[in-house]
Amino acid sequence: MFRRLTAYSILLVGLTLGVGLTRAEAPAASSAGLADLLGGMSARRPQAGRDDRAQAANRLAGKTVPGNVAEALQTARRRWFAQAEAIVTRLAEKQADDVRTCSKLQALRHRAIVDIVLRQADLADWQTTVKSHAAAIRKHLCIQLDRRMDTKGDLGRIVTLLKELDGYARMLGLRATGAAGPADRLRDVYCHTALLGDVERRVLQHNRDVAGELSAEERQCVALLNNYRMLLGLHPLRIDLRLVRACRKYARECAAQNHYSHAGSLPGRETRDQRAAQEGYPAHVAENLAFGARIASGAQAFGAWFRSMPHHRVIINRRHALRARGDDDAWKYPRYYAVGVGHTTGGRYQNNWCLLLGTGARLDADELAQAETDEQPNRTDEQ
């Protein structure tokens, strides 16, 4: 009992350090973390010593954590993270132009896209290669941020305190804020902000405007998709509600018919283009499907496509890989501008996901002016 009261006393003393803080008005963080994706795809076994200490601390705390301690801890974590997020956002906005024009970063992206899309057959461990490329790009983006977090400046001190607060939360058996630690969450904020140009901001603002039409799981899937594309230097995709309706209808159709294929079982709905056209979308679309009891969230659906070669190729697009390699035939392949995702439950596999990427309706007038005039929406071998 004495040890438990001592732990609570130390925690409350630490939390009082944040009582006098003023709340920072920081922009909302990215709705899905790439750190969770890149670092949490495979379970990591904790170190034995750390695991033993955590179990001992949990036994000490039991289920009797006072409500005021838990509330104070969570409030302090949110307040300090908002302070750090505001600092990181300002830093990213200052560095945005340098990031977008960095030749080394562009070379890293081109190499990643070519390896992922065009050299799949030559890669012994494809998934590891994908993560390695993404992590290298992310590391290059965050070099300056990491230096700031390693110093004794304001950001470094806040990150250190956040790690300590997370340690207290684990000791008391409280739920963690996410798979990634505070440093990785701040790197997500930095990457998301530094990669935004005017066109990207308009697309993402449109996606926020129509987000209410999507479920939380569907929004999470689109956010991860766009964050990953922007990390590779590709434009984000604009949510098209016609494609969302087409995705949901086909996901329900697959569950009802117990028919899980890109080729539909109903007359007039055999192809993905037909299904999109019935909802008023006139252009060619590419399609990804996912089914399974363990694919309930948007992160799990995106993770399933992320780990699969053919589905990953749809997310990136062969056109971008050919352009990165300097191939003159890149124009023969479509460039996707729109996205729709649908999730329904039921049927043999419990969770049914459909993703459509559309070639119609470029981002906006600025993007239209910059696009190639010889662009053609031809069919590809993507599924």
Side-chain angles (χ1 to χ4, degrees), residues 128-148:
T128 299
T129 301
V130 171
K131 291 184 181 181
S132 176
H133 278 302
I137 294 170
R138 192 167 180 268
K139 180 179 179 180
H140 181 79
L141 281 169
C142 296
I143 288 176
Q144 183 175 358
L145 178 64
D146 287 346
R147 290 173 181 168
R148 293 282 292 270

Side-chain angles (χ1 to χ4, degrees), residues 72-147:
L73 175 59
Q74 301 292 28
T75 300
R77 294 163 82 188
R78 288 192 296 268
R79 182 174 294 180
W80 279 112
F81 188 82
Q83 294 277 354
E85 187 180 45
I87 296 173
V88 169
T89 299
R90 290 194 297 269
L91 178 63
E93 290 172 347
K94 290 180 181 179
Q95 298 296 318
D97 291 339
D98 293 338
V99 166
R100 287 192 294 272
T101 58
C102 178
S103 58
K104 183 176 180 180
L105 177 61
Q106 193 67 14
L108 286 172
R109 287 167 163 170
H110 284 181
R111 180 180 176 184
I113 293 173
V114 171
D115 275 355
I116 292 170
V117 178
L118 299 181
R119 299 176 183 166
Q120 293 176 355
D122 300 331
L123 300 178
D125 191 343
W126 177 77
Q127 186 179 342
T128 299
T129 301
V130 171
K131 291 184 181 181
S132 176
H133 278 302
I137 294 170
R138 192 167 180 268
K139 180 179 179 180
H140 181 79
L141 281 169
C142 296
I143 288 176
Q144 183 175 358
L145 178 64
D146 287 346
R147 290 173 181 168

Side-chain angles (χ1 to χ4, degrees), residues 170-370:
R170 288 191 296 270
M171 287 177 61
L172 298 177
L174 299 177
R175 185 176 181 181
T177 55
D184 272 338
R185 291 166 60 206
L186 290 172
R187 291 186 187 101
D188 279 347
V189 174
Y190 181 86
C191 290
H192 182 75
T193 305
L195 297 176
L196 297 182
D198 291 338
V199 172
E200 288 80 8
R201 292 181 189 277
R202 283 193 286 270
V203 171
L204 296 182
Q205 181 58 54
H206 165 80
N207 290 353
R208 287 191 291 270
D209 291 341
V210 302
E213 302 294 330
L214 278 66
S215 68
E217 293 80 9
E218 292 166 346
R219 290 195 299 270
Q220 184 184 45
C221 184
V222 173
L224 276 172
L225 169 66
N226 278 335
N227 285 357
Y228 179 57
R229 284 177 58 90
M230 288 191 294
L231 188 72
L232 294 179
L234 308 179
H235 62 263
L237 300 174
R238 183 186 182 102
I239 295 174
D240 192 301
L241 296 180
R242 296 170 296 182
L243 295 181
V244 172
R245 291 194 297 269
C247 288
R248 288 174 176 169
K249 285 187 177 180
Y250 191 56
R252 288 195 296 268
E253 181 181 315
C254 288
Q257 302 288 328
N258 274 328
H259 178 83
Y260 302 94
S261 170
H262 290 286
S265 60
L266 300 181
R269 294 177 56 82
E270 292 90 352
T271 69
R272 52 189 178 272
D273 286 346
Q274 288 176 329
R275 296 189 287 270
Q278 287 185 2
E279 299 303 320
Y281 192 83
H284 164 63
V285 295
E287 181 179 75
N288 277 347
L289 300 175
F291 309 99
R294 298 183 179 180
I295 312 180
S297 70
Q300 290 167 335
F302 179 77
W305 296 323
F306 183 91
R307 293 188 294 266
S308 167
M309 282 191 187
H311 297 94
H312 202 128
R313 183 178 58 192
V314 173
I315 293 171
I316 296 178
N317 193 343
R318 188 176 182 85
R319 171 191 176 86
H320 298 299
L322 291 173
R323 290 194 67 185
R325 196 176 65 179
D327 197 314
D328 293 335
D329 290 334
W331 67 269
K332 295 181 180 179
Y333 295 88
R335 183 179 184 184
Y336 298 115
Y337 297 94
V339 64
V341 63
H343 170 236
T344 63
T345 58
R348 182 194 312 167
Y349 296 108
Q350 300 181 32
N351 290 288
N352 312 279
W353 286 86
C354 178
L355 176 76
L356 289 176
L357 277 62
T359 59
R362 291 183 175 89
L363 302 179
D364 56 25
D366 293 340
E367 178 69 20
L368 177 61
Q370 297 170 10

